[in-house]
Amino acid sequence: ESGSGAMGGSASLLPRDALGEYQELTFLSKQEILLAYKRFSELLPKEERENACTARIPKSHILMLPELRANPFQHRICHVFSTSETGDDSMSFEDFLDMLSVFSDSATSDIKSHYAFRIFDFDDDGTLDRKDLEQLVNCLTGQGEESRLSSAEMEQLIQNILEESDIDKDGTINLSEFQHVVSRSPDFASSFKIVL
Amino acid sequence: SPSPGLFLLPEEPRAAAPVDFLQELPSCQSARRRRGGTRERRSAPPGTTGSRGAAARTLQQERGEQPTRPAREYPLSIAEKRTLRDFQRADTEHLSRWKKWKKTSSKSLKKALSEVKGLSSYLVLWRHDIHSIEEKFGTGIQSYFSFLRFLVLLNFIIFILMFSFITLPVIISKYGIFNSTSVNISPKNIEDNCTIYEPSGNKGLVYFYTYLKDLLSGTGFLEVTSLFYGYYTIDAVWISIMRYNLPLAYLLVTFSYLALSLLWIIKRSVEGFKQNLVHDADPFQSYCNKVFAGWDFCITDPNAARLKHRSLQCELQTDLQEEKLKQKIAERTMEEKLRIYSLRIFINIIVLAILSGFFYSIYRVTVFSQENSNDIDNVNSQINLLVQYLPSIVITLANFMGPLIFSFLIRFEDYTPAFEIQLTLMRCVFLRLANIGVLLFSLWSQISDCGTDKCKPCGYNYKLYPCWESDVGQEMYKLMIFDFIIILAVPLFVDFPRKLLVTHCSCKLVQWFGLQEFGISDNVLEIIYGQTICWIGTFFAPLLPAIATIKYFIIFYIKKISLIHTRKPAARPIRASSSNFFFFLVLLIGLNLAFIPVGVSIARIPSSKACGPFRNFNTSWEVIPDTILEFPTGLQQVLFGMASEAFAVPFFMIICIIMFYFIALAGAHKRMVAQMKEQLVLASRDKMFLIRKIAEAQR
């Protein structure tokens, strides 16, 4: 986790102008980008480490990272940040940096809430409807039959959430309503954070 | 609840509008484009950078009226941000030279600032430790350790302040560095009796035990060091040709460390609270907060993740049950309400009685301790040490028993579980802070005990307390040392044996008892209690913040080890935001409480004439009027005018008018928000209605 290890050999593999460009296009600092590069190349087999900038890592490898291993939203995160043409949710180094940038301390709350919306939108239809909210709550309480809320409790909970956040009362939460309710949430900035 | 406007229209059946129409709406299109167009990316043939560029360009044109933001603030992938940035650069090509220079200089300034920020993040104390705690236990417990770090820094800065402006000049003058001398003016018009002060100091050979006893109680050799007020018996310091007014410096540094603490705390508490308070729902109890911000994304340990899942499930279920309970409470009958309110009044009277019992015992014990420890009879040194520490022991006992009694009693008061926790917490806060107040009050009653002409010549009880500020400093020092000893002893003698018992003894009773939970509120109250003592005591013992810094430094490691090895995480999850709020609120209360004793000592009680920098003044506060009288007459008149009624009353009235204006403004905003919400609901229904009509017309 410390940044000092990244100052070693891997620094010479990431070209300086690429480093500067990534600093400009993401919210990460130089040390964080170098550390991300180090952790990304560790996930690749040894032969491919030379071309880490252009390689793609399959989803199963990314999910081995300790930061994502215990996260109930790991699949959604990979899906949202992946720019793979084939839809297999594999991530390139730039996708990885994108993800860390959004989850970093210095990202604006606008960006964070935008991506949080996309992560919570399980069916990718642009709104959070009842099914999305149900899946979200199930992710939070854990997999397994005994850790789910009963259907009456789930109904009551979703009713309360919609009451608090659905301003135009159409039964779904769209992006601006989500951003509005999250801007008033005091815990969002500190919980929506991943630091390597 | 339906808004009044809808009573005019019949309720349309809420059938679903055709989805394809909804997809074509402009608001939906812009939301999809802002997503970066995943669908468009996937469906576009490879190599069509033109389409991505078009998407980025329309995105920027949409926000054309707003000033362009840097590329990284757009929710796009890095490749798309690259093209957007190239477009932004192309756009700025045709700007004037002045604007171009402004842009490039602001960009390089931001880059330099981010470099500095990146480097200075390595200087942050305990960065790695707190990060690993966050990974294993979540942000709630991590916030407690951030508080400890904040207090270490605060105390260190206060220590630097006191040391450089008060202790350093005195030390310089005592050793004659820089050609400095000290000025000692003996007080005029004061009876000789008041100026006699002979601390025992280092008189010849002392036993090691006496040395230890002096270290623990602040008497003996420690009393004459720069730790206590009595060392600073100097009226001015001449450093080559400059005259350094020590009494004025002492008073001003006292005010400045209190002001610095206040400003820093307010700044820190506002930082984590950047949300508008227009709505009236409680932001900590909202379901959206618990669901959308419920998961700590920084948890990496699978065990911690499991615990978090369970605690989230528990919390959501408890809250839903509580809501049903609230409905039941609202349906109570009149006689039930009467019964419950009378029961609550009765229990509150019991609580008050218990509190008065604690306060009275602290008062009696302090008086007893003061009377008996000032005896010259030092033969029974062990008993003497015990007598000296008696107030600290009684206060610690009260702080320990109070929460147990309160949590037992509150079960009878029939509140909702969340409110029970809050009320018990408030009672504990009051108990802890009031204990210090009672101790100080009993000390002052002794110092100002003016019956039978004991304080006629000097204004205070000069026989028992020739240097009363040092005595108060010693009491605060003893409180701090004892608090530290208790915090060290509890993990050592209670937590570790308990952990050993639980791991090696498998009998049912022990397993049911289990490990102790890491209760954040108890720990927070502990450190705030210590910090309030430090704030009060720094006026009487200028080097006390150094001891507090070292104390909190060691406490960090003790709590960390104790957390990892001997405690289990709390069943009810602690959120970082609510514990943040609680910590800074109680810290502010402690600071405000600390103003009172310091203010009373400075302004009311005559300063001791036998020691300290304020010998030549009636009270410590008199330094300020005396100094103002040496200013030019114009400035004097302005300053005296500001303190007079002719200025204060109009000033107060203007402040009131401004406050009423802002309250009215807030009310107007609230009404406007409610109206806009209504309009949004109506607009959405109109939209659905029109879409259905269009779909019908198309068929």
Side-chain angles (χ1 to χ4, degrees):
Chain A
E1 277 101 320
S2 69
S4 53
M7 296 301 189
S10 54
S12 55
L13 297 175
L14 189 62
R16 274 206 73 148
D17 47 353
L19 186 60
E21 191 187 43
Y22 289 144
Q23 263 186 286
E24 193 187 348
L25 294 177
T26 64
F27 291 101
L28 300 170
S29 70
K30 191 165 76 170
Q31 294 88 355
E32 290 168 339
I33 296 177
L34 290 171
L35 180 59
Y37 188 78
K38 173 168 171 266
R39 300 287 294 276
F40 190 78
S41 12
E42 277 167 13
L43 291 173
L44 286 169
K46 279 221 158 79
E47 323 78 59
E48 296 186 31
R49 283 198 192 161
E50 284 299 312
N51 306 328
C53 274
T54 45
R56 283 200 161 264
I57 296 188
K59 180 156 97 165
S60 47
H61 281 39
I62 291 276
L63 293 185
M64 290 194 307
L65 277 175
E67 283 79 12
L68 288 182
R69 188 175 48 192
N71 198 319
F73 300 104
Q74 41 181 234
H75 299 284
R76 288 297 307 164
I77 291 176
C78 283
H79 179 83
V80 163
F81 286 100
S82 157
T83 53
S84 155
E85 314 271 315
T86 54
D88 63 352
D89 291 345
S90 61
M91 290 182 73
S92 68
F93 179 59
E94 292 192 348
D95 296 337
F96 189 61
L97 277 188
D98 251 333
M99 179 185 86
L100 290 175
S101 161
V102 166
F103 281 110
S104 76
D105 256 328
S106 12
T108 59
S109 69
D110 226 8
I111 289 268
K112 281 191 194 252
S113 53
H114 186 103
Y115 276 96
F117 183 77
R118 286 179 59 186
I119 290 176
F120 294 152
D121 186 9
F122 284 84
D123 50 10
D124 277 327
D125 66 352
T127 58
L128 295 181
D129 54 12
R130 295 189 101 97
K131 280 204 282 304
D132 289 327
L133 290 176
E134 207 175 302
Q135 262 183 296
L136 170 61
V137 172
N138 283 331
C139 271
L140 285 180
T141 57
Q143 303 308 324
E145 275 311 307
E146 68 284 351
S147 55
R148 298 191 174 202
L149 299 183
S150 71
S151 51
E153 286 170 339
M154 182 70 78
E155 194 53 44
Q156 192 188 352
L157 180 59
I158 293 182
Q159 194 57 41
N160 281 323
I161 294 175
L162 285 177
E163 220 175 276
E164 282 175 13
S165 52
D166 190 10
I167 301 179
D168 59 5
K169 307 244 184 292
D170 60 354
T172 65
I173 304 176
N174 62 24
L175 178 63
S176 36
E177 286 166 349
F178 182 78
Q179 284 183 320
H180 177 73
V181 81
V182 145
S183 72
R184 287 176 0 209
S185 160
D187 281 309
F188 184 70
S190 56
S191 65
F192 203 70
K193 193 169 62 168
I194 294 180
V195 178
L196 284 180
Chain B
S1 53
S3 47
L6 287 173
F7 284 135
L8 299 172
L9 296 165
E11 275 289 340
E12 288 279 346
R14 302 285 303 275
V19 183
D20 41 354
F21 261 119
L22 281 176
Q23 304 282 9
E24 288 177 31
L25 285 172
S27 51
C28 207
Q29 294 277 331
S30 83
R32 260 205 287 148
R33 239 182 279 126
R34 264 192 258 159
R35 275 203 331 239
T38 359
R39 300 221 177 96
E40 290 155 0
R41 241 199 323 249
R42 296 230 172 104
S43 56
T48 50
T49 42
S51 69
R52 266 185 286 168
R57 221 179 328 157
T58 40
L59 182 50
Q60 188 168 343
Q61 275 171 357
E62 251 176 36
R63 301 172 178 232
E65 283 88 37
Q66 301 157 8
T68 48
R69 305 187 306 198
R72 65 184 184 176
E73 292 186 21
Y74 287 97
L76 305 165
S77 75
I78 283 191
E80 289 163 342
K81 280 192 269 199
R82 212 176 263 134
T83 39
L84 179 63
R85 180 201 58 185
D86 294 338
F87 274 119
Q88 282 181 337
R89 279 208 189 133
D91 268 346
T92 63
E93 286 290 309
H94 59 266
L95 282 180
S96 68
R97 263 206 338 205
W98 163 248
K99 286 205 179 139
K100 240 191 267 187
W101 180 82
K102 242 185 21 178
K103 262 201 195 316
T104 41
S105 63
S106 70
K107 234 201 280 188
S108 37
L109 183 69
K110 275 191 204 141
K111 220 169 147 193
L113 279 176
S114 69
E115 291 267 334
V116 167
K117 215 171 103 168
L119 284 175
S120 69
S121 73
Y122 281 108
L123 292 174
V124 170
L125 186 63
W126 294 320
R127 198 174 66 112
H128 181 68
D129 291 289
I130 294 189
H131 183 61
S132 66
I133 289 176
E134 187 176 26
E135 282 181 353
K136 282 198 72 175
F137 298 102
T139 52
I141 292 192
Q142 172 258 346
S143 59
Y144 169 75
F145 290 92
S146 299
F147 303 154
L148 269 179
R149 178 171 60 188
F150 169 69
L151 282 182
V152 166
L153 286 175
L154 180 67
N155 282 311
F156 186 65
I157 300 287
I158 295 179
F159 162 67
I160 298 281
L161 212 61
M162 296 295 278
F163 184 77
S164 38
F165 286 103
I166 299 178
T167 316
L168 206 54
V170 174
I171 291 182
I172 288 180
S173 73
K174 288 225 163 143
Y175 290 105
I177 316 173
F178 296 136
N179 224 354
S180 57
T181 50
S182 58
V183 177
N184 268 323
I185 313 171
S186 16
K188 317 171 191 62
N189 306 331
I190 298 286
E191 243 187 64
D192 277 334
N193 276 342
C194 300
T195 58
I196 301 175
Y197 174 54
E198 272 156 33
S200 34
N202 249 336
K203 292 227 167 86
L205 193 64
V206 288
Y207 291 114
F208 177 72
Y209 177 74
T210 324
Y211 193 79
L212 191 64
K213 169 181 167 298
D214 287 341
L215 196 66
L216 282 177
S217 59
T219 47
F221 82 95
L222 209 54
E223 194 168 343
V224 296
T225 56
S226 55
L227 178 59
F228 289 111
Y229 180 91
Y231 181 78
Y232 302 91
T233 310
I234 290 175
D235 295 279
V237 172
W238 280 99
I239 305 183
S240 21
I241 47 166
M242 240 182 15
R243 187 172 183 273
Y244 186 79
N245 191 344
L246 191 70
L248 184 65
Y250 201 103
L251 208 57
L252 288 181
V253 169
T254 305
F255 293 152
S256 60
Y257 86 71
L258 288 171
L260 172 77
S261 308
L262 184 67
L263 290 173
W264 200 347
I265 291 172
I266 290 183
K267 172 180 172 283
R268 274 285 294 242
S269 58
V270 164
E271 247 171 33
F273 217 60
K274 274 193 188 136
Q275 42 168 36
N276 51 344
L277 299 160
V278 170
H279 58 98
D280 34 26
D282 183 3
F284 301 121
Q285 295 295 331
S286 86
Y287 286 98
C288 284
N289 186 38
K290 291 183 183 171
V291 169
F292 294 138
W295 183 260
D296 273 338
F297 278 70
C298 44
I299 291 184
T300 59
D301 182 32
N303 274 331
R306 213 161 20 104
L307 278 165
K308 185 81 182 173
H309 282 305
R310 243 206 315 238
S311 66
L312 273 173
Q313 180 193 3
C314 244
E315 187 189 10
L316 287 174
Q317 282 174 333
T318 331
D319 281 336
L320 291 169
Q321 280 168 1
E322 213 173 287
E323 200 186 328
K324 290 207 180 118
L325 198 63
K326 278 196 189 144
Q327 275 180 333
K328 252 203 300 180
I329 288 178
E331 295 163 5
R332 275 195 192 138
T333 62
M334 201 56 193
E335 53 177 48
E336 263 184 45
K337 275 193 196 168
L338 216 63
R339 182 185 68 90
I340 288 185
Y341 284 151
S342 49
L343 187 62
R344 283 183 191 167
I345 292 179
F346 177 62
I347 292 194
N348 273 311
I349 293 180
I350 296 184
V351 164
L352 279 175
I354 293 177
L355 283 176
S356 333
F358 283 145
F359 295 158
Y360 183 69
S361 51
I362 294 174
Y363 174 77
R364 292 273 352 137
V365 160
T366 311
V367 167
F368 173 78
S369 154
Q370 288 292 310
E371 280 169 2
N372 289 20
S373 63
N374 279 334
D375 279 341
I376 322 286
D377 165 31
N378 265 331
V379 174
N380 250 337
S381 284
Q382 287 100 322
I383 306 272
N384 190 289
L385 191 62
L386 191 66
V387 166
Q388 293 217 11
Y389 265 89
L390 219 44
S392 321
I393 296 175
V394 172
I395 288 184
T396 307
L397 271 176
N399 287 339
F400 173 70
M401 290 197 317
L404 294 175
I405 298 179
F406 293 150
S407 43
F408 172 71
L409 282 177
I410 203 163
R411 268 181 255 157
F412 301 108
E413 293 187 68
D414 207 9
Y415 290 115
T416 57
F419 189 70
E420 264 184 20
I421 297 178
Q422 283 174 349
L423 190 59
T424 317
L425 216 52
M426 283 201 290
R427 284 178 179 159
C428 293
V429 167
F430 178 70
L431 174 66
R432 280 200 186 241
L433 295 178
N435 279 341
I436 307 177
V438 170
L439 172 69
L440 288 168
F441 173 76
S442 23
L443 273 180
W444 273 306
S445 66
Q446 290 289 92
I447 293 171
S448 317
D449 178 15
C450 289
T452 68
D453 289 343
K454 267 190 247 174
C455 37
K456 195 127 185 289
C458 324
Y460 55 91
N461 193 344
Y462 66 92
K463 284 225 185 79
L464 277 182
Y465 303 103
C467 187
W468 63 265
E469 286 100 338
S470 281
D471 266 305
V472 178
Q474 279 166 356
E475 283 300 325
M476 297 288 112
Y477 174 78
K478 280 186 275 192
L479 274 182
M480 184 168 277
I481 297 286
F482 192 70
D483 186 42
F484 187 39
I485 291 176
I486 291 289
I487 294 184
L488 278 178
V490 165
L492 213 54
F493 297 118
V494 175
D495 286 338
F496 272 106
R498 189 164 167 175
K499 164 84 186 256
L500 284 173
L501 214 58
V502 169
T503 31
H504 295 289
C505 169
S506 48
C507 90
K508 262 207 176 140
L509 187 67
V510 167
Q511 292 300 325
W512 173 80
F513 220 44
L515 293 172
Q516 175 114 13
E517 271 183 11
F518 190 85
I520 292 211
S521 16
D522 294 324
N523 282 297
V524 162
L525 279 181
E526 229 171 29
I527 58 180
I528 289 181
Y529 167 75
Q531 186 57 38
T532 311
I533 295 174
C534 178
W535 273 323
I536 297 176
T538 303
F539 176 72
F540 307 102
L543 295 186
L544 212 57
I547 301 178
T549 308
I550 299 173
K551 172 181 161 194
Y552 287 130
F553 196 85
I554 297 178
I555 286 179
F556 181 91
Y557 289 107
I558 292 176
K559 291 288 178 187
K560 181 176 170 216
I561 295 174
S562 159
L563 170 70
I564 293 178
H565 294 287
T566 66
R567 299 277 178 128
K568 66 176 187 218
R572 198 182 163 89
I574 317 285
R575 299 197 177 279
S577 63
S578 54
S579 66
N580 240 322
F581 176 73
F582 172 67
F583 173 70
F584 285 110
L585 179 71
V586 184
L587 200 61
L588 266 180
I589 294 178
L591 180 61
N592 283 319
L593 239 57
F595 284 146
I596 301 177
V598 176
V600 167
S601 313
I602 292 179
R604 281 294 193 152
I605 304 182
S607 51
S608 44
K609 305 292 177 282
C611 66
F614 302 108
R615 284 181 308 167
N616 288 303
F617 304 96
N618 234 344
T619 60
S620 314
W621 170 256
E622 274 197 13
V623 184
I624 306 247
D626 270 7
T627 319
I628 294 184
L629 286 172
E630 290 169 21
F631 287 168
T633 34
L635 195 55
Q636 264 187 56
Q637 282 182 339
V638 167
L639 288 170
F640 281 130
M642 273 182 13
S644 69
E645 293 88 8
F647 176 77
V649 170
F651 183 68
F652 178 69
M653 276 175 47
I654 293 178
I655 298 263
C656 278
I657 291 177
I658 295 178
M659 191 174 70
F660 284 135
Y661 167 72
F662 279 117
I663 291 178
L665 197 64
H669 281 163
K670 241 182 175 172
R671 276 194 302 276
M672 195 156 83
V673 164
Q675 279 177 359
M676 285 192 164
K677 276 192 181 171
E678 256 187 53
Q679 287 213 359
L680 271 175
V681 174
L682 283 176
S684 157
R685 290 198 186 199
D686 282 348
K687 178 175 82 177
M688 292 295 168
F689 175 77
L690 286 172
I691 287 179
R692 260 198 303 276
K693 286 288 185 205
I694 291 177
E696 277 175 29
Q698 273 192 339
R699 276 191 238 121

